[in-house]
Amino acid sequence: MEDEPKLANLLRKGLTAQGLAADIATDGDEATWMATATAYDAITLDVMLPNTDGFTLCRELRRQGVTTPVLMITALDTIHDRVTGLDSGADDYLAKPFSFAELLARLRALARRPRDVQMPVLTVGTLRLDPAARTVHRGDLPIELTRKEFALLEVLMRRPGEAVSRFDLLESAWDDSYDNRSNVVDVYVGYLRQKVDRPFGTDNIETVRGFGYRLKTEETG
């Protein structure tokens, strides 16, 4: 699925020459229909599409139960872009410009993976985060988070009971342009507490003085 027709046709021609079948979708709607209707071995997905973006499309495919391995292809190559692509449900990330040999090798590797692997839902106590669907719940109640709030919470939930440094939290949600001496993490953790803790009378997000934050579990309570 590629928004540049010339590149898409070159890729299809190259794949066909290798004895592989390849289809092209030129926009998000067509890509969604094709991916849900056909059991592909792998999907190449461009981040920049006419009526959506690849991150949103990948999350939607995962939400609809599509487990086909996804290779994200894009000119965006900051740490933040790569993290966003992988967290949206992509299995691999390839930055332009790239060699066809590398693309082919990555597709072969993805096609060898088990087809029933899905991104696990993260659960800590009553807090539940679905990385593929980009949803958060406290019990049965949904919680709306911004992209950065979601990224911070996901890092904490992947390391429950563990002290996570401010630097690691910065790396997860901000690109290389951030000022690592600023208090931006503290500000956003404050926003996060207002949404996932205080309305429910909990205090799961704990400050680790002079270091960072920890998501408390029943064991670390």
Side-chain angles (χ1 to χ4, degrees):
M1 301 166 191
E2 165 64 55
D3 66 326
E4 300 177 34
K6 184 177 180 180
L7 177 58
N9 285 320
L10 285 173
L11 291 180
R12 180 164 61 178
K13 183 177 179 180
L15 292 170
T16 301
Q18 295 293 319
L20 303 173
D23 295 323
I24 297 176
T26 56
D27 61 46
D29 292 338
E30 185 179 15
T32 300
W33 178 81
M34 292 171 64
T36 54
T38 305
Y40 292 104
D41 291 321
I43 293 171
T44 62
L45 180 60
D46 198 285
V47 170
M48 306 303 293
L49 292 168
N51 59 346
T52 186
D53 63 84
F55 304 137
T56 300
L57 176 56
C58 192
R59 286 194 291 270
E60 177 61 19
L61 293 179
R62 297 309 189 213
R63 188 190 68 79
Q64 294 194 32
V66 176
T67 60
T68 305
V70 171
L71 173 62
M72 197 80 77
I73 299 178
T74 179
L76 304 175
D77 192 31
T78 66
I79 292 174
H80 172 70
D81 294 319
R82 293 195 296 273
V83 169
T84 301
L86 295 172
D87 283 349
S88 70
D91 298 88
D92 200 359
Y93 198 100
L94 185 60
K96 300 175 185 176
F98 55 84
S99 72
F100 180 75
E102 181 180 6
L103 170 73
L104 192 60
R106 289 177 182 267
L107 289 176
R108 285 197 299 263
L110 290 178
R112 290 194 296 266
R113 294 184 181 180
R115 294 297 301 272
D116 59 351
V117 173
Q118 298 188 28
M119 297 179 70
V121 174
L122 306 176
T123 302
V124 179
T126 61
L127 198 58
R128 189 172 74 257
L129 181 147
D130 187 332
R134 307 292 287 182
T135 58
V136 176
H137 290 78
R138 174 74 80 174
D140 294 328
L141 297 175
I143 301 173
E144 294 293 328
L145 298 180
T146 66
R147 186 173 64 182
K148 285 183 170 56
E149 291 165 354
F150 188 96
L152 291 174
L153 181 61
E154 183 174 357
V155 173
L156 292 170
M157 291 188 69
R158 288 189 183 278
R159 299 163 65 176
E162 180 182 342
V164 183
S165 71
R166 286 179 174 83
F167 179 79
D168 284 347
L169 291 169
L170 277 167
E171 284 281 286
S172 73
W174 281 267
D175 60 27
D176 297 332
S177 65
Y178 65 71
D179 178 359
N180 61 13
R181 294 167 295 180
S182 74
N183 67 341
V184 65
V185 168
D186 305 301
V187 171
Y188 273 85
V189 168
Y191 297 155
L192 201 53
R193 282 172 166 157
Q194 292 284 353
K195 295 181 178 181
V196 304
D197 271 343
R198 287 173 188 151
F200 304 94
T202 60
D203 59 349
N204 287 117
I205 302 175
E206 177 183 35
T207 300
V208 180
R209 192 174 298 278
F211 184 76
Y213 295 91
R214 169 173 35 232
L215 188 66
K216 294 190 294 185
T217 64
E218 292 181 1
E219 290 77 14
T220 60

